[in-house]
Amino acid sequence: MSVRTAIVRRAIDVSALLSEVGDTANGATVIFLGHVREMNDGRTVSGIEYSAYGEMAERELAAIASECAAHFGVAHLVAEHRLGALELGDVSIAIAVAHPHRAEAYEASRFVIEEVKRRLPIWKREGYVDGTSDWVNAAGIAHEQRAEERQ
Amino acid sequence: MSVRTAIVRRAIDVSALLSEVGDTANGATVIFLGHVREMNDGRTVSGIEYSAYGEMAERELAAIASECAAHFGVAHLVAEHRLGALELGDVSIAIAVAHPHRAEAYEASRFVIEEVKRRLPIWKREGYVDGTSDWVNAAGIAHEQRAEERQ
Amino acid sequence: MTVTALLFASYAEALGSDRLELTLAGNTTVRDVVDRLRAMPGGSSLPAAPLVAVNQTYANADQRVVSGDEVAIIPPVAGG
Amino acid sequence: MTVTALLFASYAEALGSDRLELTLAGNTTVRDVVDRLRAMPGGSSLPAAPLVAVNQTYANADQRVVSGDEVAIIPPVAGG
């Protein structure tokens, strides 16, 4: 079994991730890619600046991957999240999971992205073609709920 | 929206599929890869020969993709299934789905592989390291059930 | 009337052929084609009610077949 | 005692800093650190009960903080 995670400031090489999880023991590989999307909430996006609480993000991503590997028994898991200025279509996150069976490969992949969205301390400032920009608060409601649970 | 499916007799180029579904309108891409696995039911596999009812397999795969696109509203879907003699680790099927949202991307991807397993007229003869070989009947029970439903 | 029976994988091995031209009486169904194949040498390895496609579309056992139809007997599929 | 408060994204913009050294009395909790930050210029944009991590682990509002702790106020996350 191999598990590797990284917070990176360079382009994510999807083919390299694929090679990394590939071996002859597994029947199924599921790859999830998140991209910078042109439209968000009706506004035309020109790019996104990703920032993070770097050290904690590295720890949390590693923790998510460990939990996933333990829970689903994945054979190989590689996850990279990119920071910095991303352009339209750029890959912001890539998750590659290999498993002997497909059901677990899908579930493990989904687990990682959902936990990333829930708890990875990363923020994005979306730039729009009209020259404005805004912090994206996609997880705002979940965030308030989590904060309240902790009171 | 673009949908393309193919039954091929050459290696599947996963990077090419990725480029094909990539654009700036979609936030999520899910790729499923099926591989030739070294162990199956406790026997050590040396390779698999895939054969098909070729024309019908092409029609069914195209039908599955159309149903998927209509049901999940996927933006881009490319699926290729390989035939012929495959070695350990070779990709037998690749399914790439791009969607504005990740939940639908996962569900659409899963839909395609489950329907492929259920109804694509493709067979595999597994070769083992001991020199023997056998037709694989992984979907045997489902098959008997489907046949009975049709009586 | 004549229909073309297609056989694949283990079924083709059992009957020693992947394509047979069958001459049948009129008023024929998928079930009749299967019964004919099962009566041939090696045909007993076919299940009584296999999955069948007529002209590349899955069909019920009581579906009518007409002259020129392509009737494929589909072993348990194993794609993916 | 002294703790380091870390601020990110919109919270860092609101307080005009991404890192503040705070001197606090003993017997201090996460909630006390948040209250101190909210009393500072621009601090009113912080929610009364934001998500907080102490030394890079998510923490409850009543968790004790000790001298040298790194207390991060976490805006709504938006990774992926």
Side-chain angles (χ1 to χ4, degrees), chain A residues 66-136:
Chain A
S66 297
E67 291 165 24
C68 178
H71 187 70
F72 295 99
V74 301
H76 301 299
L77 194 166
V78 181
E80 291 189 353
H81 197 303
R82 184 174 172 190
L83 299 181
L86 274 71
E87 297 177 4
L88 288 190
D90 281 353
V91 174
S92 54
I93 186 167
I95 302 161
V97 173
H99 197 286
H101 303 293
R102 68 184 182 282
E104 289 85 347
Y106 277 105
E107 286 164 21
S109 173
R110 190 76 197 269
F111 173 88
V112 173
I113 185 63
E114 296 305 326
E115 289 299 295
V116 161
K117 295 269 180 190
R118 199 174 71 84
R119 65 194 241 211
L120 208 62
I122 287 184
W123 301 278
K124 51 189 179 191
R125 190 172 182 96
E126 228 166 39
Y128 306 101
V129 291
D130 62 9
T132 62
S133 68
D134 257 337
W135 292 103
V136 176

